[in-house]
């Protein structure tokens, strides 16, 4: 690839990643969509999931998950969502959970086999709510929109100048953006959500030290079947554990400062 094409691609990416907002941890963000748009998308997605997936009818486990979520959501900033969060347990073996803009939380029953207690479940729910607080969904959609626009512009320049092997060049640029931009941003989002979730669970009265135990459980449950970290949207468990431990001191201070001690069983 010629130097001028590399320069054009680099300039395009740099321009696309210029910040117009700031995340809770101080990162620059590009956010093209309004909160109302994101809430509407979240509501539509959640409604579809409730139609497509089996919703758990186990009263005890539903009450348990709702208890943990209800302890955390009051600490979500009102400008993010000021209302009653809807919490649904899906009867599915996935070891996962999610939160959506507009006050939606979903937990898969498979997670309850790995998150061994209320504190570990709070670490997951806090993490997922952290994505909503930091507007990661908005940021990812905005980033995708801009990268598509930038790729189209580069393609048009290549075609207009009759550059040979335009197809392979565009494929190389696309891979470079995925590995060099999109995947690192996804890992940054995960790490940021871990920190926000740690703060949320601690303020809610859950022991933040259990977040480390959770990720040890997650690593054991994965049986080592993970892609190399550079090509993964999620940091490796040991990376997450190190990040959590590095932010543990202020979280412990919040935990010790609150009189909240939820009893979710």
């Amino acid at each position: 690839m010629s130097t001028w094409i590399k320069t054009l691609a680099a300039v395009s990416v740099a321009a696309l990643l210029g910040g117009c907002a700031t995340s809770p941890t101080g990162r620059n963000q590009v956010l093209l969509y309004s909160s109302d748009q994101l809430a509407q998308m979240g509501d539509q997605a959640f409604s579809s999931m409730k139609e497509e997936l089996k919703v758990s009818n186990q009263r005890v486990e539903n009450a348990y998950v709702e208890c943990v979520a209800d302890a955390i959501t009051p600490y979500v900033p009102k400008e993010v969502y000021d209302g009653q969060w809807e919490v649904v347990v899906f009867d599915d073996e996935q070891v996962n959970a999610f939160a959506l803009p507009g006050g939606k939380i979903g937990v898969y029953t498979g997670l309850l086999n790995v998150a061994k207690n209320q504190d570990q479940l709070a670490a997951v729910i806090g993490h997922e709510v952290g994505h909503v607080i930091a507007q990661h969904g908005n940021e990812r959609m905005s980033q995708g929109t801009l990268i598509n626009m930038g790729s189209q512009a580069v393609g048009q320049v290549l075609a207009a100048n009759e550059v040979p092997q335009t197809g392979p060049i565009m494929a190389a640029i696309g891979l470079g953006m995925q590995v060099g931009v999109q995947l690192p941003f996804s890992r940054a989002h995960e790490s940021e959500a871990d920190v926000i979730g740690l703060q949320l669970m601690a303020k809610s009265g859950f022991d933040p030290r259990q977040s480390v135990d959770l990720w040890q459980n997650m690593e054991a449950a994965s049986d080592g079947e993970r892609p190399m970290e550079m090509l993964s949207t999620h940091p490796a468990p040991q990376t997450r554990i190190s990040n959590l431990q590095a932010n543990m001191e202020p979280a412990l201070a919040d935990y010790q400062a609150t009189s909240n001690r939820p009893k979710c069983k």
Side-chain angles (χ1 to χ4, degrees):
M1 190 185 301
S2 68
T3 302
W4 74 268
I5 295 176
K6 290 180 181 179
T7 302
L8 176 58
V11 170
S12 298
V13 172
L16 299 180
L17 297 181
C20 61
T22 304
S23 78
T25 63
R27 281 190 312 104
N28 287 336
Q29 296 177 294
V30 174
L31 303 177
L32 301 181
Y33 300 90
S34 70
S35 297
D36 288 343
Q37 286 175 306
L38 268 292
Q40 184 177 12
M41 293 177 195
D43 185 62
Q44 291 173 346
F46 205 60
S47 295
S48 295
M49 294 189 72
K50 287 188 292 183
E51 293 176 1
E52 296 169 5
L53 298 178
K54 182 180 178 181
V55 175
S56 172
N57 58 8
Q58 299 298 310
R59 184 179 60 82
V60 173
E61 76 182 5
N62 286 345
Y64 169 60
V65 172
E66 288 178 8
C67 176
V68 174
D70 288 348
I72 290 173
T73 52
Y75 294 89
V76 175
K78 299 303 181 185
E79 61 269 20
V80 174
Y81 185 71
D82 186 13
Q84 180 66 37
W85 286 68
E86 182 180 3
V87 183
V88 173
V89 180
F90 293 100
D91 190 358
D92 192 290
E93 293 182 356
Q94 288 188 60
V95 182
N96 210 348
F98 63 89
L100 297 173
K104 311 295 183 184
I105 294 173
V107 173
Y108 296 99
T109 52
L111 176 64
L112 303 180
N113 297 322
V114 179
K116 302 295 187 182
N117 54 46
Q118 64 170 14
D119 302 287
Q120 292 180 20
L121 179 58
V124 178
I125 292 177
H127 167 93
E128 299 302 334
V129 171
H131 281 306
V132 176
I133 292 173
Q135 300 194 72
H136 289 159
N138 192 340
E139 188 176 6
R140 288 179 186 179
M141 290 197 317
S142 301
Q143 180 193 24
T145 297
L146 291 174
I147 284 177
N148 287 337
M149 291 169 58
S151 296
Q152 290 173 6
V154 172
Q156 289 170 358
V157 171
L158 293 174
N161 287 275
E162 298 181 349
V163 176
Q165 297 184 322
T166 297
I169 290 172
M170 288 304 297
I173 291 174
L175 180 62
M177 287 183 174
Q178 182 186 27
V179 176
V181 179
Q182 292 172 308
L183 292 182
F185 259 62
S186 294
R187 293 195 294 270
H189 292 166
E190 292 300 317
S191 297
E192 189 169 58
D194 279 344
V195 173
I196 298 171
L198 194 67
Q199 296 168 342
L200 279 176
M201 68 179 295
K203 291 177 180 179
S204 305
F206 296 104
D207 187 347
R209 292 166 292 194
Q210 284 291 317
S211 62
V212 172
D213 294 337
L214 167 75
W215 281 105
Q216 291 171 340
N217 294 349
M218 287 285 197
E219 184 171 27
S222 72
D223 293 325
E225 296 179 359
R226 288 180 48 82
M228 60 185 293
E229 183 168 3
M230 186 184 76
L231 297 178
S232 174
T233 59
H234 289 57
Q238 285 303 319
T239 301
R240 303 186 86 143
I241 288 171
S242 296
N243 182 41
L244 289 165
Q245 289 173 331
N247 290 276
M248 191 61 66
E249 186 174 346
L252 277 173
D254 286 338
Y255 174 63
Q256 292 162 356
T258 183
S259 60
N260 300 331
R261 289 296 182 267
K263 292 179 172 58
C264 303
K265 298 181 180 180

